[in-house]
């Protein structure tokens, strides 16, 4: 792949199809593991030029946060499911002899009273040491992973990461950055939302917020409402109320020069439904642009299907059907506040950001943004 793509977007480390070659050199491998409220995901990759190739991957729904809303604690069953998934990850890491890795846990472990005990159990049972990261780092890594999708025409950017237990929103002003350098300016934010002075044009983080509601926690809040449409409406308005302290909430924003990038299973599922994909295809979904009207149409289809119809809809999938409406409620709230003709779908997120940060720190990526 050429070092720069048309439109000034540059070349960034984005995941591609797993390599078919012989076992890679362990000295070149990096791993990133994200233990979230709903899923356990891992990527193993090696740097290649200014990008990286994915060597192995793992994703499993572990529902770590199930029951957390009511009890404030991680349940034995959810911890057991998670340990089993992490044991698979450990075997993969051992088989590939990976030595460089960053393994993190997010909202469920930030909130649970017994999280520290659980991390000790993980270390005892699997030998893996996980760090609980703060919301700002989670948001920052999600932003960095989405840099390749930033349009050079974008002056105001909203990056949204809808997780299982929390949702991060970051509003970035790119108007002072030359068009051709805008995606690269986003990549530089890996050093912090308010980095020290630099000779490079800077992306300005206007505001960011971590809302302690994601697809799992929002779903739990309203699981006692039987009426499907009423439940959806309540979830959407409840989420919007949590944005009152986010400074761009009350600011009017024209569609011109404004872009939202959404990274989450919710956004990729809505995109797959919009495309009518009966089998998920990352190459068709990642980078797809949708309008507010197209997203609204998909959400209305979901509501018309009802719970049983969503359960059997192949575009949604059995792992996603119970949480798709809480995610859609969050997405609808965002579209209601900030309608856009350019919502870019990102099939990437925290793991890719973790990989980039490690590789950047080690200086193993060519043609980096510095």
């Amino acid at each position: 792949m050429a070092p720069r793509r048309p439109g000034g977007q540059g070349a960034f480390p984005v995941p591609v199809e797993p390599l078919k070659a012989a076992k890679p050199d362990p000295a070149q491998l990096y791993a990133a593991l994200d233990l979230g409220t709903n899923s356990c995901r891992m990527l193993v990759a090696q740097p290649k030029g200014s990008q990286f190739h994915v060597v192995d991957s793992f994703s499993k729904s572990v529902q770590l946060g199930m029951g957390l809303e009511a009890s404030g604690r991680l349940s034995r069953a959810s911890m057991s499911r998670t340990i089993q998934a992490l044991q698979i990850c450990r075997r993969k890491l051992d088989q590939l002899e990976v030595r460089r890795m960053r393994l993190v846990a997010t909202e469920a472990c930030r909130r649970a009273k017994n999280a520290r005990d659980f991390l000790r159990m993980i270390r005892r049972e699997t030998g893996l040491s996980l760090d609980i990261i703060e919301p700002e780092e989670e948001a920052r890594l999600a932003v960095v992973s989405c840099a390749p999708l930033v349009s050079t025409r974008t002056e105001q950017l909203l990056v949204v990461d809808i997780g299982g237990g929390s949702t991060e929103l970051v509003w970035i002003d790119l108007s002072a950055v030359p068009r051709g350098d805008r995606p690269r300016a986003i990549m530089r934010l890996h050093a912090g939302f308010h980095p020290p002075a630099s000779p490079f044009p800077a992306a300005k983080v206007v505001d960011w917020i971590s809302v302690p509601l994601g697809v799992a926690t929002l779903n739990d809040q309203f699981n006692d409402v039987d009426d499907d449409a009423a439940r959806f409406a309540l979830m959407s308005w409840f989420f919007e109320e949590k944005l009152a302290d986010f400074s761009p909430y009350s600011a009017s924003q024209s569609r011109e020069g404004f872009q939202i990038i959404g990274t989450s299973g919710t956004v990729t599922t809505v995109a797959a439904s919009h495309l009518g994909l009966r089998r998920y295809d990352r190459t068709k979904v990642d980078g797809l642009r949708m309008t507010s009207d197209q997203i609204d149409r998909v959400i209305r289809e979901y509501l018309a299907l009802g719970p049983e119809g969503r359960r059997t809809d192949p575009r949604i999938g059995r792992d996603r059907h119970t949480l798709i409406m809480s995610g859609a409620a969050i997405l609808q709230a965002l579209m209601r506040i900030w309608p856009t003709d350019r919502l870019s779908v990102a099939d990437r997120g925290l793991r890719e950001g973790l990989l980039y940060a490690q590789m950047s720190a080690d200086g193993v990526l060519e043609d980096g943004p510095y």
Side-chain angles (χ1 to χ4, degrees), residues 238-307:
F238 184 70
F239 181 82
E240 183 176 338
E241 287 178 357
K242 304 300 181 184
L243 299 179
D245 293 334
F246 186 51
S247 65
Y249 173 68
S250 55
S252 60
Q253 175 60 50
S254 70
R255 295 193 182 198
E256 187 64 31
F258 174 53
Q259 180 184 8
I260 298 178
I261 298 180
T263 169
S264 71
T266 294
V267 180
T268 56
T269 300
V270 168
S273 295
H274 168 67
L275 294 172
L277 300 180
R278 298 179 69 84
R279 184 180 179 84
Y280 187 79
D281 185 342
R282 182 186 186 277
T283 61
K284 293 180 180 177
V285 170
D286 187 53
L288 177 74
R289 286 187 183 170
M290 300 181 68
T291 67
S292 300
D293 293 339
Q294 289 169 333
I295 292 167
D296 188 57
R297 189 156 47 245
V298 172
I299 292 174
R300 288 201 308 269
E301 288 176 8
Y302 288 165
L303 282 168
L305 283 170

Side-chain angles (χ1 to χ4, degrees), residues 156-160 169-172 246 258-261 338:
Q156 301 295 323
L157 173 69
L158 174 62
V159 177
V160 181
L169 289 82
V170 185
W171 192 288
I172 302 165
F246 186 51
F258 174 53
Q259 180 184 8
I260 298 178
I261 298 180
W338 301 291

Side-chain angles (χ1 to χ4, degrees), residues 17-79:
E17 292 302 310
L19 295 175
K20 304 297 183 182
K23 183 177 177 180
D25 179 0
Q28 297 182 352
L29 294 181
Y30 292 78
L33 186 146
D34 167 19
L35 176 58
T37 303
N38 195 52
S39 301
C40 175
R41 301 184 180 96
M42 184 179 74
L43 284 178
V44 179
Q46 63 184 139
K48 191 169 181 64
S50 59
Q51 306 179 47
F52 56 73
H53 278 293
V54 174
V55 174
D56 201 357
S57 64
F58 175 81
S59 181
K60 179 74 173 176
S61 174
V62 294
Q63 299 177 308
L64 179 60
M66 181 175 283
L68 176 61
E69 196 70 30
S71 69
R73 300 177 63 84
L74 304 172
S75 71
R76 288 186 179 181
S78 63
M79 290 191 291

Side-chain angles (χ1 to χ4, degrees), residues 192-203:
F193 280 160
H194 302 287
S198 163
F200 296 99

Side-chain angles (χ1 to χ4, degrees), residues 135-208:
E136 180 174 343
E137 184 177 6
E138 183 177 359
R140 192 170 70 237
L141 291 167
V143 166
V144 166
S145 73
C146 294
L149 302 181
V150 176
S151 168
T152 55
R153 299 191 303 276
T154 296
E155 296 198 346
Q156 301 295 323
L157 173 69
L158 174 62
V159 177
V160 181
D161 182 6
I162 305 173
S166 65
T167 298
E168 281 69 44
L169 289 82
V170 185
W171 192 288
I172 302 165
D173 183 350
L174 291 164
S175 58
V177 180
R179 284 192 171 198
D181 200 45
R182 285 173 183 175
R184 206 168 285 271
I186 294 295
M187 191 66 81
R188 294 188 195 110
L189 291 174
H190 84 89
F193 280 160
H194 302 287
S198 163
F200 296 99
K204 178 186 176 185
V205 175
V206 176
D207 199 6
W208 73 276

Side-chain angles (χ1 to χ4, degrees), residues 75-144:
S75 71
R76 288 186 179 181
S78 63
M79 290 191 291
S80 176
R81 287 191 299 270
T82 302
I83 292 287
Q84 290 173 16
L86 289 171
Q87 286 170 336
I88 296 172
C89 293
R90 178 57 192 257
R91 287 197 292 272
K92 287 176 174 287
L93 292 170
D94 287 347
Q95 288 166 3
L96 291 166
E97 301 177 59
V98 182
R99 295 293 174 263
R100 295 179 181 87
M101 63 187 78
R102 182 90 195 277
L103 318 176
V104 305
T106 56
E107 185 66 13
C109 288
R110 284 197 290 262
R111 294 176 61 186
K113 298 172 185 174
N114 57 340
R116 297 293 173 183
D117 290 339
F118 179 48
L119 293 188
R120 284 191 287 270
M121 183 191 302
I122 290 173
R123 203 155 42 239
R124 186 171 64 248
E125 298 287 333
T126 70
L128 299 177
S129 295
L130 274 66
D131 298 321
I132 301 174
I133 60 171
E134 292 302 314
E136 180 174 343
E137 184 177 6
E138 183 177 359
R140 192 170 70 237
L141 291 167
V143 166
V144 166

